[in-house]
Amino acid sequence: MTAPPLRVVLAEDHRIVRAGFQALLAAEPGVEVVAETGDGAEAVALVAEHRPDVLVADLALPGLDGVEVIRRARAASPGTAAVVLSMHDHEAYVARAVGAGASAYVLKESGPEDLAAALRAVRAGGRFFSDGLADPAGRGGSRPLDRYDALSPREREVVHLVAEGLTAPDAAERLFLSPRTVETHRANAMAKLGLGSQAELIRYVLERGLVPPRRPEA
């Protein structure tokens, strides 16, 4: 009896790169890409709609960063495994992705065989990490408690947008909130994190891999 196809939602913000990954996935036997997007919030909505077997997501997504996308997608569809595609190999990015529920972390600089291996691994209920990356869950002990985990979902959204360089009015427009409400969420987040300035907030999220650094303009 033929196994059902592995249904995948793909989230990557660069169209050309997304087309390349879609082609790789389509060429993989038994894999079906049911939806694709370049936006973080839409990726969560697509996972909730399609309930795919796997979400393949970049970490650098507009709207919501990839880590928050994974966190929300897994909450909306617990049966969906998450595979990260990233150019970042720092352990902070890997740890944050795994902490959000990712089962595999594939470096974009690796060969296409890594993506295929990641899909095979998560299909079997396993995990996969590109060469040179360590599985944080395999180091023993639990992940140290991070004050970031005490932030509300809205506070996280505001933190991500601030780290991306948006002003309070710009973030308010993106989130359909008032600038005063955005400033309140930012102040509350900074208080919970023990930070005294916006510069410290931006440095905090970048050092911990919560928001990947902005890519240079092409």
Side-chain angles (χ1 to χ4, degrees):
M1 182 176 179
T2 304
L6 190 74
R7 301 170 68 253
V8 175
V9 166
L10 173 63
E12 158 63 51
D13 64 326
H14 285 178
R15 288 186 179 182
I16 293 177
V17 177
R18 187 164 76 245
F21 281 122
Q22 184 180 25
L24 287 175
L25 291 167
E28 189 67 21
V31 174
E32 177 188 0
V33 178
V34 296
E36 61 173 270
T37 181
D39 180 79
E42 186 177 6
V44 176
L46 289 172
V47 168
E49 176 185 354
H50 292 281
R51 306 279 175 166
D53 301 297
V54 182
L55 166 66
V56 176
D58 188 4
L59 285 185
L61 293 170
L64 291 175
D65 76 292
V67 169
E68 191 65 20
V69 167
I70 291 169
R71 190 191 309 275
R72 296 189 184 193
R74 293 272 296 151
S77 179
T80 298
V83 173
V84 168
L85 295 171
S86 180
M87 60 186 289
H88 303 288
D89 61 359
H90 193 281
E91 62 180 13
Y93 292 94
V94 182
R96 180 56 58 181
V98 170
S103 299
Y105 195 107
V106 177
L107 293 175
K108 289 185 175 180
E109 66 182 24
S110 60
E113 63 275 5
D114 269 20
L115 181 55
L119 293 176
R120 289 195 298 270
V122 299
R123 183 197 283 270
R127 302 164 74 84
F128 178 88
F129 296 83
S130 289
D131 287 345
L133 302 179
D135 182 350
R139 294 177 178 172
S142 60
R143 181 170 60 92
L145 186 63
D146 193 328
R147 281 184 282 186
Y148 174 83
D149 294 331
L151 301 186
S152 70
R154 183 65 82 185
E155 287 167 349
R156 290 174 185 161
E157 286 181 321
V158 170
V159 164
H160 295 162
L161 293 178
V162 168
E164 289 176 12
L166 272 68
T167 64
D170 289 339
E173 183 176 357
R174 179 83 65 85
L175 298 173
F176 303 102
L177 300 173
S178 71
R180 181 182 294 275
T181 299
V182 167
E183 291 172 355
T184 298
H185 285 309
R186 178 176 59 189
N188 289 342
M190 290 173 60
K192 290 179 181 180
L193 297 172
L195 304 173
S197 69
Q198 184 162 313
E200 290 181 0
L201 177 63
I202 293 172
R203 184 166 60 250
Y204 175 92
V205 297
L206 292 177
E207 287 177 349
R208 284 158 179 77
L210 305 176
V211 177
R214 280 186 284 178
R215 296 164 172 165
E217 295 294 331

